[in-house]
Amino acid sequence: MSSYVIDSELFRDQFSTQTMRDIFSDSNTVQRWLDVEAALAKVQARLSIIPQAAADEIQRKAKVELIDLPELKAEMDRTAHPIVPLLRAMKKICDGDAGEYIHWGATTQDIMDTGTILQLKDALREIETALQSTLDNAMKLAAQYRDVTMVARSHGQQALPITFGFKAAVWAAEIRRNLARLAQMRERLLMGQFSGAVGTLAALGDQGIEVQEALFEALGLGTPEITWHVSRDSMAEMACVLGICASTLGKIAHEIYSLQKTETAELEEPFSPGKVGSSTMPHKRNPPTCETVVAISRIVRSTVPLAMEAMMAEHERDKIVLQTEREFISRVCCMTHAAARKMAFVLEKLSVRTQNMEKNLHIQNGLLLSEAVMMHLSDALGRQEAHEIVYRVCMDVFERGGNLKDALLDDTQLKGRLSAGDLDRVLDPHAYTGLAGVFVDRVLGRKTAQPEAARG
């Protein structure tokens, strides 16, 4: 039995992905530390700080498969230190005195922070790819269902007609903004860390900056203007942005969950034969994927306050905040990637029940178009007077039954102001979707030949 769902043989693929588990695995974590040490040695040899032969040997031996991980773990427990046991292991496997030149001028946090950033660089690439697939599928839905009319709801109640393409375009625009947030965050987050014991690079003297810049160029990372040993704002920003991304995915999943309810039945997450909804009710077709995404979104955004707490570092070095980050960094990445992959799948294979969308447009017997009636009457009666009359008629229909058309035709205050033909046009839900199609086209990046004005 696993102590956490990401590592569970049974549940791990609900809350993470194999790709993300590989990125944050122990072996890859150690390999990233070794990558930093090897790049540092290579740069320092080029700058004549350490012997070239030593650098070559360090690069040859900086491979995690050469490290005994159980022995490394035992030494980490014994020394209460993560990097010193690795340096000793490297010294043991390096020929000659090459091991004496590894980690020259560095401090433990330099190696670990930079290793983490390299992992985050890989993780963000995977998350962005999954989000892009989710965006692409939302855009396809927006285009395909641009003009398919459905009910819009506010406060959980029927409000006005929109199109399903409009709803999907709202999703797409939000996902696109999240991709922009991730791109902007990259510039601040993907910075290397190499600044020595307290951030001043004192051990390397005048060559410190040259080594730092060359190291980060070799690793494909940005160079910070000053150490960020105790400045964890970028890590907090990462958690915040992933929290926003996960919340967008959770919001979309919850919308599909809501619209899959039996009484509405306008959408359904992908179903395949063999998918079981209940151990006791054979008829059930549940939305488990969407339910999982909603749960993931809650977990990820609940991590944001913890990431803020990890900003509260003391003096020039503080392991407390690093231990806090170690708990949540891989978790939020694993979960956000899982949510994005799941929603890409859901939107790609989403069942859209257009017949139920059409049916639900009429279940209130015309009340859905109350605004259209009010606006139609406003020219003659004034907007507020029209609202008062239509409100009174609608409330009567709601309480007593019947339909809005007949009630309006029978109302004494409206005698002679509305004809049956007028009302047939005004109460057509397909004619009152406003500029939904125009807004869809804007999200899709295409021009609308002749925008259709909202009709009332």
Side-chain angles (χ1 to χ4, degrees), residues 273-314:
K275 185 177 181 181
V276 177
S278 171
S279 63
T280 185
M281 296 171 284
H283 70 279
K284 295 289 295 299
R285 286 168 69 114
N286 294 342
T289 304
C290 287
E291 290 172 320
T292 298
V293 172
V294 174
I296 287 173
S297 74
R298 291 176 177 175
I299 297 168
V300 174
R301 65 177 171 268
S302 74
T303 304
V304 172
L306 180 61
M308 296 294 187
E309 286 294 328
M311 290 180 63
M312 306 307 293
E314 185 176 68

Side-chain angles (χ1 to χ4, degrees), residues 419-433:
S419 68
D422 287 337
L423 283 176
D424 285 338
R425 288 189 296 273
V426 173
L427 294 175
D428 178 7
H430 304 284
Y432 203 72
T433 58

